[in-house]
Amino acid sequence: EFRRVLFRSLVVIAIIAILAAILLPTLSRAKDSAKSIQCLNQMRQISLATRLYAEDSGDEFPRSQHSAFANRQLPWERAIAPHLGIRGSSSTAWTNLLLGLYHCPKDEKPGRLSYGFNYFFEVGAEDDYPGKPQTWRKLTGILKPTTTIIYAETTIAADHVMPALGWLSGADAANEIASTRHRQKSNYAFVDGHAELLRLSQTYEPPQLDFWNPSLAP
């Protein structure tokens, strides 16, 4: 009788182990998917808040740290905060943004800004970049807002990415973009306010594909 009980117990343990081996990868994928969706929603909110900022600021986009301070403006992450329901500039409010909306749950560096602003939207005629003297400072000047990227997930410390001044290939873009954060893909926010999970090569494959330069967006 003892042997039969022992045998049955071992069978149950074996079945549990098999089920765990089957279910754990599924649960892991589900968890990753939930984090990816959360990140996507965060980027959508940031993009929509940027549109609201532009509508309240003479049709002009905010700037990143690259040029905001020189122009006596707040960088985008602080400039759009009121349009995200954040009032005041307390350290607590800022910390909450860095730990929450501004941080992708898949970003392994806690408390950092996970998203970068597309530098094309702050360059002016005085800047040395491809396409000069064309500028895209105004929201209504973007002819294809549904296919022009405004924010991307980043791996760098800066609050912006610079396709206008250094990207010659997909490898150059990958130096700034967290292109594999979500199972070999990344989230991107567009000027119209929507966001998509895409491979980097679906957004930038020069010279035939460029979702970053407003004059080349398909």
Side-chain angles (χ1 to χ4, degrees):
E1 179 65 26
F2 173 76
R3 291 182 177 178
R4 284 199 298 270
V5 172
L6 178 61
F7 176 75
R8 289 172 182 171
S9 298
L10 292 174
V11 170
V12 170
I13 292 172
I15 292 173
I16 291 173
I18 292 170
L19 290 174
I22 294 172
L23 292 176
L24 284 177
T26 301
L27 292 173
S28 178
R29 286 193 294 271
K31 186 177 181 179
D32 280 350
S33 179
K35 289 181 177 180
S36 179
I37 291 172
Q38 180 182 336
C39 174
L40 190 75
N41 287 333
Q42 290 175 184
M43 295 191 73
R44 185 182 297 118
Q45 291 179 62
I46 291 170
S47 181
L48 289 172
T50 301
R51 289 183 62 89
L52 291 174
Y53 170 91
E55 291 171 2
D56 289 343
S57 304
D59 196 39
E60 288 197 348
F61 290 107
R63 295 177 180 269
S64 76
Q65 294 174 14
H66 182 84
S67 67
F69 302 118
N71 287 275
R72 297 183 179 180
Q73 297 179 18
L74 293 173
W76 70 264
E77 57 269 26
R78 292 186 181 272
I80 70 171
H83 298 284
L84 293 167
I86 305 299
R87 303 297 174 186
S89 57
S90 70
S91 59
T92 300
W94 178 240
T95 298
N96 288 340
L97 278 175
L98 286 180
L99 293 175
L101 191 65
Y102 288 169
H103 185 78
C104 169
K106 286 283 288 179
D107 188 341
E108 296 179 352
K109 296 180 180 179
R112 72 176 291 274
L113 192 65
S114 298
Y115 310 120
F117 185 69
N118 182 354
Y119 175 69
F120 266 114
F121 297 105
E122 62 180 306
V123 291
E126 70 280 5
D127 294 293
D128 184 15
Y129 69 96
K132 179 181 177 180
Q134 174 97 39
T135 62
W136 294 275
R137 289 283 301 129
K138 293 186 177 295
L139 173 63
T140 54
I142 308 303
L143 299 179
K144 297 179 179 179
T146 62
T147 54
T148 307
I149 292 172
I150 187 168
Y151 290 102
E153 296 191 71
T154 66
T155 58
I156 56 178
D159 69 341
H160 57 281
V161 292
M162 302 187 71
L165 288 178
W167 290 8
L168 299 177
S169 67
D172 292 328
N175 288 331
E176 297 185 56
I177 305 301
S179 58
T180 61
R181 183 173 284 162
H182 302 282
R183 294 187 177 273
Q184 303 305 308
K185 294 183 179 181
S186 185
N187 287 316
Y188 301 89
F190 293 77
V191 175
D192 70 331
H194 87 282
E196 293 184 41
L197 178 65
L198 301 166
R199 295 187 184 279
L200 178 58
S201 60
Q202 291 177 278
T203 74
Y204 190 69
E205 196 70 44
Q208 65 269 25
L209 182 67
D210 190 340
F211 279 39
W212 302 83
N213 185 332
S215 67
L216 298 177

